[in-house]
Amino acid sequence: MIESETCVVQTAVPHPSQNYSIELEEKLRNEMFTNYTVQQRPSQKVLVAIKFNLLTVNDLDWKDTRLVWDRSSKTSQDYSNIKFLFATEEHIWRPAIIIENAVDGISIISDKSVPMRIAQDGRVIWNPAGVYKVSCESDTKYYPMDTQECYLKVSAWAYTKAEIELVFKDQNIDISFYTENGEWDLLSAESFKSEARTRDGDAFSSVSFLIRLQRRLLFHVVNTLFPVALMAILITFVFKLPVESGEKIGFSLTVLLSYAVYLTLISDNIPSTSVTVCLLSMYLAFILFLATIAVCLTTFVINLHMRTDDERIPDWVKKFTSTYLIKMACWKQNCACKRNTVNVNGSDLNVTRTDDIPLTEKRNNPDIETENEDESRNLTWKKLSEIMDKVFYNIYMILIVISTLALFLVIIIGYNTADN
């Protein structure tokens, strides 16, 4: 008897493809989430791709191999017609990510109302919404023409770098949601890999996003810089008012109080920080100091003017006046002061005028020295007060013009440098 053996070859028969239906998706969902543990990571090391736009931190992307149902997966049925599923963070594992420099408290990014999209290959896409307030260092040196840089630091919290690593899904920051602001211009937005944070000897993955903003000029130039400069120039004109008007003290005090009030209003808008020194604040403090001293000098000039001729002027005052103050009163490069006598209200008054005379001639001309000596001999308290007014006017005008031009020049250079 001959026995014959029959070899039976079994071949896998592909599951018939079924059209999408709610019942089919429900069957897939039950199959995927059976024995699925939310607290367990999908693999030993999960790469979480992160993207940032100017609306919020969004587009978190990672792969969960337990949620794969494409044709190559070992499912009991063909679910290829189901392109994706939706679930919430309560049912799917998600990475623990925090905004490290948040000011409202550090908490895990979470949003139970935003569903997660699960693709056929197990890729999970999550777009948690939220408004995050972060701390940024303010550089107020060139305020109001300043440029600010603000960082958004995103870090993994509970999982170390060996378990979760943050990578960029797209290196560029999405600005499609950005709308122009009336106070700030967006200069740039960029992302970069941060140095891993170390806590208790374990390294945690971290990424950063940098936003550079520049303050718009028009509002602050019109409402801050020009009024400040014009009010500063007003301080000098207190020395142009004659004592007889009776308004010198009133004018100087009015300018001082106006400047003090305006200084308070501007200080409220300047960010409070001691890291950098605001040049505008230094300028305002300097001008306020000059305005305060101007009140004292005005009182001094009025005191000189109101003295009677019965009180003798000291010789050193006459000598100092004829040697220095008269020249400073008619201050001009390459000029000398000559004395003319004019009749004012029935009395002779010595008035100085400037003539273009070379410096060498002024030093060697004995007539000029003689006139200065005559000026000192005929000096009165009233005339001395007028000379002091002119001296203070010239000094104040020089100081205010130089400091104002220096302020404008420095902040404009800093503004253009940051813009470039």
Side-chain angles (χ1 to χ4, degrees), residues 48-246:
V48 180
I50 186 170
K51 186 178 179 181
F52 175 73
N53 63 38
L54 294 184
L55 179 64
T56 181
V57 178
N58 74 340
D59 208 355
L60 296 175
D61 188 339
W62 67 92
K63 191 168 184 178
D64 194 331
T65 56
R66 297 169 295 176
L67 302 176
V68 178
W69 72 86
D70 57 12
R71 289 183 180 274
S72 61
S73 62
K74 297 179 180 179
T75 56
S76 61
Q77 193 170 351
D78 184 7
Y79 298 104
S80 58
N81 285 330
I82 300 179
K83 303 302 180 182
F84 48 81
L85 294 176
F86 286 100
T88 61
E89 63 181 43
E90 296 176 334
H91 303 92
I92 299 179
W93 175 90
R94 60 181 173 86
I97 296 177
I98 63 169
I99 306 298
E100 190 172 328
N101 59 334
V103 296
D104 287 342
I106 298 178
S107 60
I108 303 298
I109 295 179
S110 174
D111 196 334
K112 297 180 180 180
S113 61
V114 177
M116 299 178 178
R117 180 187 292 265
I118 310 170
Q120 288 182 344
D121 58 353
R123 191 164 57 94
V124 182
I125 303 174
W126 188 36
N127 306 104
V131 177
Y132 306 104
K133 296 181 180 180
V134 297
S135 61
C136 301
E137 294 183 359
S138 298
D139 185 2
T140 59
K141 182 177 181 180
Y142 300 109
Y143 178 89
M145 297 184 180
D146 54 332
T147 301
Q148 302 296 337
E149 295 183 351
C150 192
Y151 290 88
L152 185 70
K153 301 177 183 179
V154 183
S155 302
W157 184 248
Y159 300 100
T160 64
K161 190 175 182 181
E163 298 164 343
I164 288 182
E165 183 172 359
L166 301 179
V167 296
F168 292 112
K169 184 177 181 180
D170 190 352
Q171 195 72 24
N172 296 325
I173 293 180
D174 184 11
I175 61 174
S176 58
F177 289 95
Y178 175 74
T179 56
E180 290 191 1
N181 185 272
E183 185 176 2
W184 296 95
D185 277 326
L186 177 64
L187 295 184
S188 64
E190 57 189 53
S191 56
F192 57 92
K193 190 76 173 179
S194 301
E195 184 179 355
R197 301 292 183 181
T198 303
R199 296 191 296 269
D200 297 331
D202 296 324
F204 295 83
S205 182
S206 179
V207 295
S208 295
F209 303 96
L210 172 62
I211 302 174
R212 298 181 69 247
L213 301 171
Q214 190 174 65
R215 201 182 302 270
R216 294 179 180 268
L217 289 179
L218 183 60
F219 175 83
H220 293 281
V221 168
V222 173
N223 295 277
T224 302
L225 295 181
F226 279 159
V228 165
L230 294 177
M231 292 178 65
I233 294 177
L234 283 178
I235 298 174
T236 64
F237 285 94
V238 67
F239 302 111
K240 282 294 184 180
L241 281 176
V243 177
E244 290 82 358
S245 65

Side-chain angles (χ1 to χ4, degrees), residues 340-396:
N340 288 336
T341 302
V342 295
N343 186 274
V344 178
N345 296 329
S347 60
D348 291 339
L349 178 64
N350 293 325
V351 182
T352 60
R353 80 161 190 262
T354 60
D355 295 324
D356 293 334
I357 302 176
L359 287 175
T360 55
E361 183 177 348
K362 289 187 292 184
R363 294 170 181 170
N364 300 326
N365 193 342
D367 294 336
I368 297 178
E369 296 181 359
T370 303
E371 290 180 357
N372 289 339
E373 293 177 358
D374 294 340
E375 192 79 22
S376 64
R377 284 194 295 266
N378 299 328
L379 187 65
T380 61
W381 291 111
K382 182 178 180 181
K383 177 62 183 300
L384 180 59
S385 66
E386 294 175 355
I387 294 175
M388 297 301 298
D389 258 340
K390 293 181 180 180
V391 171
F392 295 147
Y393 173 82
N394 292 336
I395 294 175
Y396 263 66

Side-chain angles (χ1 to χ4, degrees), residues 140-145 220 223-229 259 262-263 266-267 269-270 277-288 404 407-408 410-411:
T140 59
K141 182 177 181 180
Y142 300 109
Y143 178 89
M145 297 184 180
H220 293 281
N223 295 277
T224 302
L225 295 181
F226 279 159
V228 165
Y259 211 86
Y262 205 79
L263 175 61
I266 295 176
S267 299
N269 296 325
I270 300 177
V277 179
C278 180
L279 297 178
L280 179 60
S281 297
M282 295 179 62
Y283 172 80
L284 293 174
F286 175 69
I287 298 300
L288 184 64
T404 303
L407 173 70
F408 276 77
V410 170
I411 62 177

Side-chain angles (χ1 to χ4, degrees), residues 6-33:
T6 303
C7 182
V8 179
V9 179
Q10 295 182 351
T11 58
V13 179
H15 300 293
S17 177
Q18 299 184 23
N19 293 331
Y20 172 81
S21 65
I22 296 178
E23 292 77 10
L24 184 64
E25 180 179 342
E26 184 67 25
K27 186 177 181 180
L28 172 62
R29 188 181 296 276
N30 293 333
E31 186 173 338
M32 288 291 101
F33 289 100

Side-chain angles (χ1 to χ4, degrees), residues 248-298:
K248 289 180 73 71
I249 288 293
F251 180 81
S252 60
L253 288 176
T254 300
V255 174
L256 174 62
L257 295 177
S258 300
Y259 211 86
V261 171
Y262 205 79
L263 175 61
T264 304
L265 297 176
I266 295 176
S267 299
D268 292 339
N269 296 325
I270 300 177
S272 301
T273 177
S274 298
V275 178
T276 56
V277 179
C278 180
L279 297 178
L280 179 60
S281 297
M282 295 179 62
Y283 172 80
L284 293 174
F286 175 69
I287 298 300
L288 184 64
F289 171 77
L290 291 182
T292 304
I293 298 300
V295 177
C296 301
L297 296 179
T298 301

